[in-house]
Amino acid sequence: MRETDFVSGFARGLKVIEAFGEAQPRLSIAEASKLTGLDRATVRRSLLTLSELGYADYDGKFFTLTPKVLRLGHAYLSATPLPAIVQPHLDQLSEKAGQSASASVLDGTEVVYVARASQRRVMSINLMPGSRLPAYCASMGRVLLAALPQSEARAILARTELNANTPHTKTDPEELMAELRKVREQGYAVIDQELELGLCSIAVPLINARGQVVAALNIGAPAAHVAAAELAERYLSLLKETQAALRPLVQ
């Protein structure tokens, strides 16, 4: 892309929108500046513009996003048939497994949930379509990273903040690359409390009729109910059934 084609103000505005989240649903100008790394004057203009356009509310000190922001995400969900195709299959998978089931795609260093069928809340955060998790320590993230050329997966890990979320989290890049090779060979990934204590999950790639990995499917379960070592025996066949049923349907 040519430098003259890049609209820096638009890019900064999107960065400000992305600063909001479950942990920070309302932000002052100073807080948004710190989170985005942008100067206060730039952040102020971006936030006031969002407020003027109806994408944010401003009480004189704090800004909060309004439901109008959902139009941005809805545009993607409306233009992409994947969520609508996957959802009924996830509902069936979740019912058969008695656990929550999800589908996600890779976006940079994170996975983004595009569909979910929830049996019970097994994480401290409330996962739903649009939720994001770091790819390196999520089962669906491992599956999606494993589908990439090794050089590309390594580059993504290099850009990732490899935080130890729990004592079980793998953070060494070489150990993670070895784990991705294992996932590639066996065709599925298992996470044992690396993302959050008490949570285990198993994921498989969602492959289209052309053999391309387009997303990932997973089942998450409380570690107190199902040990990570038992996930494949209990749920892999169900995941593979869903994987096979969806293959001719996804692009």
Side-chain angles (χ1 to χ4, degrees):
M1 182 179 69
R2 295 177 300 176
E3 187 176 348
T4 54
D5 292 331
F6 186 80
V7 183
S8 57
F10 183 61
R12 289 192 288 266
L14 291 174
K15 193 170 186 179
V16 170
I17 291 176
E18 291 177 349
F20 291 88
E22 185 175 9
Q24 52 275 340
R26 65 175 197 158
L27 294 172
S28 66
I29 292 171
E31 289 168 340
S33 176
K34 183 178 180 180
L35 286 169
T36 61
L38 301 172
D39 63 79
R40 292 193 184 193
T42 297
V43 169
R44 178 178 178 276
R45 289 195 298 271
S46 295
L47 287 170
L48 289 175
T49 300
L50 289 171
S51 178
E52 180 66 23
L53 294 175
Y55 288 102
D57 284 330
Y58 181 43
D59 65 6
K61 182 176 181 181
F62 293 102
F63 291 84
T64 55
L65 296 180
T66 69
K68 189 175 181 180
V69 169
L70 293 174
R71 294 184 184 181
L72 303 177
H74 181 69
Y76 166 77
L77 292 174
S78 299
T80 306
L82 183 62
I85 293 171
V86 168
Q87 189 62 57
H89 292 268
L90 281 185
D91 292 337
Q92 294 176 21
L93 175 61
S94 178
E95 189 67 27
K96 290 178 182 178
Q99 304 289 353
S100 297
S102 309
S104 72
V105 296
L106 188 65
D107 182 24
T109 62
E110 300 175 312
V111 293
V112 181
Y113 280 66
V114 296
R116 181 165 168 81
S118 183
Q119 286 283 324
R120 59 179 67 87
R121 185 163 171 172
V122 295
M123 293 187 67
S124 61
I125 60 174
N126 186 25
L127 294 174
M128 62 188 75
S131 295
R132 291 173 172 268
L133 292 176
Y136 75 98
C137 58
S139 60
M140 289 188 287
R142 293 260 175 94
V143 161
L144 294 168
L145 289 173
L148 299 174
Q150 290 194 46
S151 59
E152 191 173 340
R154 187 181 291 276
I156 290 175
L157 291 178
R159 300 197 308 269
T160 303
E161 290 186 19
L162 301 175
N163 298 316
N165 306 301
T166 78
H168 306 286
T169 310
K170 295 179 176 65
T171 58
D172 178 75
E174 294 308 318
E175 185 179 10
L176 287 167
M177 288 301 296
E179 188 68 21
L180 295 183
R181 286 191 291 272
K182 178 182 176 183
V183 170
R184 194 177 301 112
E185 291 168 1
Q186 66 187 16
Y188 65 92
V190 170
I191 290 289
D192 184 7
Q193 303 183 79
E194 291 190 49
L195 186 63
E196 183 172 300
L197 287 175
L199 173 68
C200 298
S201 65
I202 180 171
V204 299
L206 178 53
I207 305 169
N208 66 16
R210 298 188 298 276
Q212 300 167 319
V213 174
V214 296
L217 308 171
N218 92 334
I219 289 175
H225 297 170
V226 185
E230 300 174 6
L231 288 176
E233 181 180 353
R234 287 203 189 192
Y235 305 125
L236 185 57
S237 61
L238 291 176
L239 281 165
K240 286 187 173 181
E241 285 177 14
T242 305
Q243 182 189 53
L246 283 168
R247 182 164 186 154
L249 304 178
V250 297
Q251 299 299 312

